Amino acid sequence: MSKRKSKESSGANGECISEVQKTLRERFCHHYATGKLFGIERQYRHLLELLKRTTVHGESNSALIIGPRGSGKTALLNHVLKELTEMKEVRENLLEVHLNGNEGELPVLHEKNHFLSGLLQTNDKVALKEITRQLHLENVVGDKVFGSFAENLAFLLEALRKGDRTSSCPVLFILDEFDLFVHHKNQTLLYNLFDISQSAQTPVTVIGLTCRQDILELLEKRVKSRFSHRQIYLMNSFDFKQYIRIFKEQLSLPAEFPDESFAQKWNNNVQNLSEDKTVKDILQNLFHYTKDLRSLHLLLMLAVSNVTARHPLTTASDLQEASKQIRMDSKANIVHGLSVLEICLIIAMKHLNDVYEGEPFNFQMVYNEFQKFIQRKAHCMYNFEKPVVMKAFEHLLQLELVKPIERPSVRVQREYLLMKLVLDNNQIMDALQAYPNCPTDVKQWAASSLSWL
């Protein structure tokens, strides 16, 4: 009987753990507008009021949301859009057009949302076609098919200018990675969007998101004159005490969690973690490294991934292990999987950098340096044919541990293409210390301050 009870409780606990991981992973991995805003409540009210003027009162506006990556620009916009779409008069009338420089950044709040990648749509012609599609303005008028930029632009502007403030559907243009659109030829798209937002016809609001503080300096004079110069700044201004509070709120389970007793137990554990010295040290290191809340989410997600039915609560050691994974050097990890020959080539490049003070090198120089090392050895265990060494060098090139500084040319032989080493001396030495069964003489060669002359 006791075994049956323990099995039932174990199964229930397993379901509970699955629900915990589902709830927290959704919070950490996605930009859902269901979480809390931290330190940007004033900006939230400002943006909400601005968009209400367009959606409810039919006013046209333009604004820029400026802040470093991870400061909450997307989260701020998502919260505002969520509140707007909960209003019936807005949900039925508002048309949204997302020009997105980072595809998938904004969640699909409702069926009217679409995405266009500014990194892929590199000119105004393609962007305009996507805007026309999102607004359901087909690019076929009767029997006439237009495809040129001028015709597409004329059609879009005519469609937007036909209405008036009282009868037209308000249109919200969201330009994520706004600075990418600044580099389009003549800034024609931006000019026309800002021009429409100043007209007395269809209510249009243009919202740009960017991490460039000097964005206004990049605008042409005619574009700048049509921009409203409304700027909303997000600067991650919270201190470490607030950062601890954010840690607790992000890791805590919500009040509506199905198992109330487990949620209380979990939240009490989170409170204890926030007071633990080891956890505070981990969070302080991360806080001083970056205030980007996405880094905190990554730390918590890695820690929560270790939670199981047998290990139901997150511990300080889980956070410690997650912190090590975050701070791990990815390039040094690649070095751990290289062959001894490839390690020798990296050491040869290190010596060339030391001798020539970071000047670019080519394969022939690396090969000559490697030959000097072989000649110092009494045995020939490292003596490889030149084509084999070349193959190893090309593998380093594929792994991007070595990068060419010029485009390959038909006139230049592969051996003489100029390269640079991506790894620095500390990364190389740290990787060698952790390299399994690294030969002693190779380590000694790496540790020598000058090349084997």
Side-chain angles (χ1 to χ4, degrees), residues 95 97 130-137 156 160 171 173:
L95 293 173
V97 178
E130 182 62 16
I131 292 172
T132 307
R133 185 188 70 79
Q134 290 189 32
L135 291 175
H136 305 292
L137 302 171
L156 176 67
L160 290 175
V171 183
F173 288 93

Side-chain angles (χ1 to χ4, degrees), residues 62-66 178 208-210 215-216 219 227 230-232:
S62 57
L64 285 175
I65 304 174
I66 304 171
F178 182 83
L209 286 78
T210 180
I215 188 64
L216 290 182
L219 295 177
F227 174 52
R230 289 186 177 89
Q231 299 163 67
I232 301 172

Side-chain angles (χ1 to χ4, degrees), residues 50 108 127 180 267 287 303:
L50 187 70
V108 180
L180 294 178
N267 292 342
F287 177 78

